[in-house]
Amino acid sequence: MRIEQMQRMTEFEIPTVMKHGLGAIKNLGDEVKKLGVKKPMVVTDQGVINAGILDPVEASLKAANVPYIVYDGVVANPPLEVVANGTALYEQENCDGLIAVGGGSSMDTAKAIGVEVVHGESVLEYECAEGKKPLENRIPPLVTVPTTAGTGSEVTMWAVITDPAREFKFNTGGPLIAAHLTLIDPELHVSMPPQVTAGTGMDALCHAIECYTCHYAQPQTDAVALLAIEYVGKYLRRAVANGHDLEARYGMAMAAMLAGLSYGSESAGAVHAMTQTLGGIIPVAHGGAVAATLAPVMEHNWIGEPEKFARIAQALGVNTFNMDVNEAARASVESVRQLAKDIGCPTLTDLGVGKDMIGRLAKEAFNDPQTVGNPRDLCVQDYEQIYSKCF
């Protein structure tokens, strides 16, 4: 533990109740009632509906005699307009609670809608940035039902929303935005295509690695991060290879949740500085971008926390018995690189990112607030070098 970590007050808060199990979705209606919600708005996307994943959600609500409406306008990297449209529908229908069904985009959209409902203005006013307003009111009761195993948004105190005018993805967050309950049912994950399983799984791994090694790490976040890394190393290949492997799906669902908890009340590091700014400029899948950038960032970072990176290698199943700390730390980089290769993750070129963008992307990443938490100092030139290795 760094001296500066011991010299400052740290905080680890868990505002969200976590319930999980095969078939857990059957309890949704009763859980919503326990929260005192009489008419929730279900926030989701067309992909969830087309895959039939919303069917058991609606069945549970109907069985419990809970009236509801569905807002299915969520898109990837949700922009402010999608949030505003959801807020308008919520108020028009006199709803009093939210159910987010989907991946990180649906859960973040629901959180942002909650912010607008209780504050009476755009979520943009509550961006985590200098000069913006802090959240003052708890969002309406929110139940998150993740259908992917990646973002951890079901338990984080953050929402990431896109401001198209700035071509920028911003964070809003704190304990007041967290879900009241998350209901995790791995049976809802079996329809995920292999490429989505791979991308979201690498996102979960990245959350755990970045939060374990960043300047904001603390014992509680270290504990959940390490177990998340172990679960990803054990289960991700299996989940990609066989989507109906329920043990692997359960393991990855827990990995995503634990990695979400590893955020604590702070932020991550260079990978998310790179990928969030990238996602604000062009519509890339966040998981794929993370998979392309994680190993190159680790290659830069390991020297800042060699003991922790050596421990990451062990968590991923590397036999480090005959290695010194530096060798083991470098082995963690290769282990992650091999994992991404094994599960068919894309490069930035595959995602449509051109090398001519490196200059702009490096500057944007350097200015992202998540750079501050990175375990090794960074400048714009460092980001340029890292980006060049991601193609």
Side-chain angles (χ1 to χ4, degrees):
M1 185 179 295
R2 293 173 178 264
I3 294 296
E4 59 264 30
Q5 290 173 282
M6 294 185 280
Q7 290 176 331
R8 68 182 179 92
M9 179 75 76
T10 58
E11 179 179 349
F12 184 74
E13 185 171 346
I14 308 176
T16 304
V17 175
M18 292 158 275
K19 298 187 179 184
H20 53 90
L22 299 177
I25 194 62
K26 297 175 183 177
N27 300 295
L28 175 63
D30 291 335
E31 295 292 346
V32 167
K33 281 184 172 180
K34 290 178 184 177
L35 290 172
V37 175
K38 293 182 172 56
K39 186 180 181 182
M41 182 170 80
V42 178
V43 179
T44 191
D45 61 66
Q46 285 294 319
V48 167
I49 293 174
N50 293 337
I53 301 174
L54 200 63
D55 295 346
V57 171
E58 294 186 292
S60 180
L61 292 172
K62 290 174 181 176
N65 294 315
V66 176
Y68 63 93
I69 62 165
V70 176
Y71 174 55
D72 61 3
V74 176
V75 296
N77 302 312
L80 288 166
E81 182 181 12
V82 165
V83 177
N85 290 341
T87 301
L89 182 62
Y90 181 100
E91 294 176 338
Q92 175 186 320
E93 295 290 337
N94 295 312
C95 296
D96 61 351
L98 294 154
I99 302 170
V101 183
S105 294
S106 292
M107 292 185 280
D108 286 0
T109 299
K111 291 177 182 177
I113 290 171
V115 169
E116 294 192 344
V117 166
V118 297
H119 290 91
E121 55 187 339
S122 171
V123 67
L124 184 60
E125 299 299 319
Y126 299 89
E127 177 181 351
C128 294
E130 186 174 351
K132 295 288 187 173
K133 302 174 184 178
L135 297 177
E136 296 181 351
N137 303 313
R138 187 75 166 102
I139 65 171
L142 167 63
V143 179
T144 50
V145 182
T147 62
T148 63
T151 69
S153 186
E154 59 267 24
V155 294
T156 68
M157 293 184 281
W158 303 99
V160 182
I161 304 298
T162 300
D163 178 0
R166 291 182 292 165
E167 295 186 328
F168 181 71
K169 291 170 73 173
F170 67 90
N171 293 333
T172 184
L176 296 174
I177 203 176
H180 296 65
L181 167 70
T182 184
L183 204 59
I184 303 172
D185 186 345
E187 289 186 337
L188 300 182
H189 298 188
V190 297
S191 64
M192 264 195 294
Q195 68 271 22
V196 177
T197 301
T200 55
M202 290 299 290
D203 192 24
L205 177 62
C206 182
H207 293 160
I209 288 175
E210 289 214 282
C211 294
Y212 180 57
T213 58
C214 77
H215 292 321
Y216 302 118
Q218 52 181 303
Q220 298 96 320
T221 59
D222 282 358
V224 289
L226 275 175
L227 187 56
I229 295 167
E230 289 186 10
Y231 279 1
V232 173
K234 182 177 181 180
Y235 293 116
L236 181 53
R237 288 178 177 88
R238 285 172 52 183
V240 171
N242 178 7
H244 291 275
D245 182 340
L246 284 176
E247 181 185 4
R249 288 297 193 191
Y250 209 139
M252 285 307 303
M254 293 299 97
M257 179 267 289
L258 291 166
L261 291 176
S262 73
Y263 262 95
S265 58
E266 302 291 354
S267 193
V271 177
H272 277 78
M274 293 169 68
T275 53
Q276 279 193 199
T277 52
L278 171 60
I281 298 170
I282 59 175
V284 298
H286 179 68
V290 164
T293 53
L294 179 54
V297 169
M298 292 174 65
E299 188 174 10
H300 176 85
N301 280 347
W302 74 263
I303 198 171
E305 283 281 4
E307 291 83 4
K308 282 198 164 184
F309 277 89
R311 183 66 183 85
I312 290 169
Q314 295 171 0
L316 288 172
V318 177
N319 183 355
T320 63
F321 182 74
N322 291 316
M323 298 180 186
D324 64 27
V325 170
N326 292 343
E327 289 172 330
R330 288 192 293 268
S332 73
V333 180
E334 294 309 313
S335 183
V336 169
R337 185 174 282 124
Q338 187 62 51
L339 173 60
K341 181 179 179 181
D342 289 346
I343 59 178
C345 290
T347 65
L348 289 187
T349 302
D350 297 329
L351 294 172
V353 183
K355 290 185 178 180
D356 60 322
M357 297 181 66
I358 288 178
R360 178 185 179 184
L361 293 174
K363 291 177 183 177
E364 295 285 357
F366 178 74
N367 291 325
D368 189 278
Q370 294 177 103
T371 292
V372 177
N374 201 64
R376 184 179 178 184
D377 293 342
L378 287 159
C379 62
V380 173
Q381 290 72 29
D382 292 326
Y383 270 123
E384 289 176 347
Q385 292 176 5
I386 294 169
Y387 262 119
S388 68
K389 297 178 180 179
C390 301
F391 290 88

